[in-house]
Amino acid sequence: MTVLILGGTSEAAALDQLLAEQAPEIRAIVSLAGHTSDPRPHNLPVRIGGFGGIDGLRRYLVENGVVAVVDATHPFAAIMPFHAEAACKAENVPLIAIRRESWKPNPGDRWRSVADIAAAAEALGKEPRRVFLTVGRLELPAFADAPQHHYLVRVIEPIGDRLPLNGVKVIQQRGPFDVDDEEDLMRREEIEILVSKNSGGPATVGKLVAARRLSLPVIMVERPPKPDVETVDHIDQVLPWLVAQGLFVTERGV
């Protein structure tokens, strides 16, 4: 009997470690989309790549004896959560999603919320600005339509030709990021506006605190819709949920 973890987040990596350490009798597999060539190391077996839509995921569930699925995909994963819901419903496999809390503006924040990346690029306006882009490399092409700006782009992977403009500076780093370091970076690069996805979590929140300190405006891209499935907000809730399904009795007796 196998538990499938749909990964790609810090929660998935932490759940991977928790299950390996506290419930070694549970056979779990972490599935990654493959967008990152250097993913976080995992303790459990890892598969990389898509499933081939809902039907492909259904076949995977059946052929691999999957008895439960944990959706720990990124808050901006727009397709896989719905595929997981449909496949699990069709095969009568229990599904739970880990949904981290989104960021909320604090006093002093100058946020403008937008629905998607295209709206974020448009919200920068026509006048040239020095923009700090922290939206991931896959979203960069939308900003090619706003070439008047100077972009500081922070990514994990090389961006290739995704933003083929003059005045683009790229920083390759993986969080977490210190607040003071974020403020120093924004001052040094003379940043005028920050563009962020509302991913939530502590690893990259420092940029928002730094923007507040500097009284910089923030364009905040809000999350896409998610299916209405059972959810938890912390990995510690997953193991008791697995046991509650009647599928496992752990050594800890949870």
Side-chain angles (χ1 to χ4, degrees):
M1 297 192 297
T2 300
V3 173
L4 176 63
I5 302 171
L6 303 174
T9 58
S10 58
E11 287 86 356
L15 179 60
D16 162 272
Q17 182 174 354
L18 183 146
L19 291 181
E21 293 177 352
Q22 299 189 18
E25 69 279 17
I26 294 179
R27 180 175 181 266
I29 297 175
V30 179
S31 178
L32 304 177
H35 296 315
T36 302
S37 62
D38 183 26
R40 295 179 178 89
H42 287 77
N43 300 283
L44 301 173
V46 174
R47 70 170 299 280
I48 296 178
F51 293 94
I54 295 171
D55 289 340
L57 180 53
R58 288 182 63 182
R59 285 193 297 271
Y60 185 90
L61 297 180
V62 173
E63 293 172 0
N64 290 273
V66 174
V67 295
V69 175
V70 180
D71 176 6
T73 55
H74 193 273
F76 277 79
I79 297 175
M80 181 53 75
F82 287 95
H83 284 188
E85 177 196 32
C88 288
K89 184 176 181 180
E91 300 300 333
N92 197 30
V93 174
L95 167 68
I96 196 166
I98 304 174
R99 302 260 174 86
R100 73 175 71 145
E101 186 177 356
S102 61
W103 291 318
K104 301 294 190 296
N106 289 297
D109 283 330
R110 299 173 57 196
W111 290 14
R112 176 179 175 181
S113 293
V114 296
D116 53 36
I117 290 294
E122 184 177 357
L124 290 174
K126 298 186 181 299
E127 293 298 318
R129 309 172 87 173
R130 297 183 65 84
V131 183
F132 188 15
L133 278 184
T134 62
V135 296
R137 66 186 179 91
L138 298 180
E139 310 287 10
L140 294 178
F143 297 91
D145 293 332
Q148 69 273 28
H149 305 298
H150 175 93
Y151 294 105
L152 174 66
V153 179
R154 184 165 64 198
V155 288
I156 297 175
E157 301 278 315
I159 70 170
D161 61 355
R162 291 183 179 275
L163 192 57
L165 302 175
N166 294 324
V168 175
K169 181 177 180 179
V170 179
I171 303 174
Q172 281 187 237
Q173 292 178 322
R174 188 194 296 270
F177 301 106
D178 178 76
V179 174
D180 292 335
D181 291 341
E182 295 286 72
E183 183 176 350
D184 290 343
L185 174 63
M186 293 184 196
R187 287 185 184 276
R188 186 168 63 251
E189 297 293 335
E190 299 179 331
I191 296 300
E192 297 174 277
I193 189 168
L194 168 68
V195 182
S196 173
K197 289 178 173 180
N198 197 339
S199 299
T204 59
V205 73
K207 61 188 175 184
L208 302 177
V209 179
R212 185 187 313 137
R213 289 179 179 178
L214 297 171
S215 193
L216 295 180
V218 176
I219 297 175
M220 185 64 73
V221 183
E222 298 302 339
R223 300 177 181 184
K226 298 288 186 179
D228 184 15
V229 300
E230 186 174 359
T231 65
V232 293
D233 57 14
H234 197 277
I235 63 165
D236 288 345
Q237 299 165 279
V238 174
L239 187 53
W241 177 83
L242 289 171
V243 174
Q245 306 311 303
L247 303 172
F248 305 99
V249 178
T250 72
E251 295 175 353
R252 292 171 43 195
V254 174

